[in-house]
Amino acid sequence: MADNIFNDLYRAKKIMMICGRNDTNKYIKLILRRYLRKRYSIFIGQNTEIKGNIILPHPQNIVLGNGVKIGNNVTIYQDVTIGVKKIDDANIGSSYAAIEDNVCIYAGAKIIGNIVVGNSSVIGCNSVVNKDVPSKCIFAGVPAKKIGVVEANT
């Protein structure tokens, strides 16, 4: 199934280039977002920034708000929501979370508000994170608290 969507995206991009459309990436993003929403219930906001290499081991029911910034090599498991605290803040880009590089967010975690999750951090299952997470820390619980430190791989 994945091969089909990428073939369709490739064809759509070629057709748009032949027709002289310069904004092909905008349409490719739109098609891909719609496909992910329909197939996997993954909702990604229009202004979400993903630096690269996002890993979704179980791609189901993931919500990434409209202004979320995600770094490189981030792993996100199923049922994760990254959004705003209040619906009134939804139009303000700076009210969304920033996830830095090499972060792992386990199933059911909720990251709410204008916070930063530091490099190489881990967010535990079903945690509700509403405060900044320092680099190389393990946070879990409701509300999430520091329960450990990520040790360097040797």
Side-chain angles (χ1 to χ4, degrees):
M1 184 68 170
D3 291 336
N4 293 340
I5 185 65
F6 292 117
N7 287 338
D8 292 344
L9 289 172
Y10 178 75
R11 285 188 196 116
K13 188 167 184 172
K14 282 197 86 139
I15 290 168
M16 292 171 76
M17 287 172 60
I18 290 168
C19 294
R21 298 295 301 250
N22 294 331
D23 52 356
T24 56
N25 285 339
K26 175 180 163 186
Y27 292 103
I28 297 301
K29 286 180 186 177
L30 178 67
I31 292 168
L32 189 56
R33 274 199 324 270
R34 285 185 180 170
Y35 171 77
L36 290 172
R37 185 178 329 135
K38 189 173 188 171
R39 175 93 169 132
Y40 298 108
S41 296
I42 296 176
F43 294 85
I44 300 175
Q46 275 186 316
N47 298 322
T48 300
E49 293 179 25
I50 300 173
K51 281 189 184 173
N53 197 23
I54 185 170
I55 303 161
L56 306 172
H58 304 286
Q60 292 292 323
N61 307 321
I62 297 171
V63 178
L64 303 177
N66 200 28
V68 173
K69 293 180 173 88
I70 297 182
N72 197 18
N73 293 326
V74 174
T75 303
I76 301 176
Y77 283 83
Q78 69 272 17
D79 299 320
V80 169
T81 299
I82 304 174
V84 293
K85 282 187 181 180
K86 295 184 276 182
I87 196 70
D88 298 338
D89 296 341
N91 295 328
I92 304 168
S94 64
S95 60
Y96 287 92
I99 313 297
E100 294 182 353
D101 298 342
N102 304 311
V103 173
C104 186
I105 305 170
Y106 283 101
K110 310 297 181 243
I111 300 174
I112 334 176
N114 184 14
I115 63 170
V116 176
V117 178
N119 286 326
S120 303
S121 293
V122 176
I123 306 298
C125 292
N126 295 316
S127 299
V128 177
V129 181
N130 55 9
K131 295 179 183 172
D132 286 347
V133 176
S135 295
K136 297 185 178 181
C137 287
I138 303 170
F139 269 57
V142 179
K145 296 181 178 104
K146 182 178 174 180
I147 61 168
V149 178
V150 176
E151 296 180 11
N153 294 340
T154 54

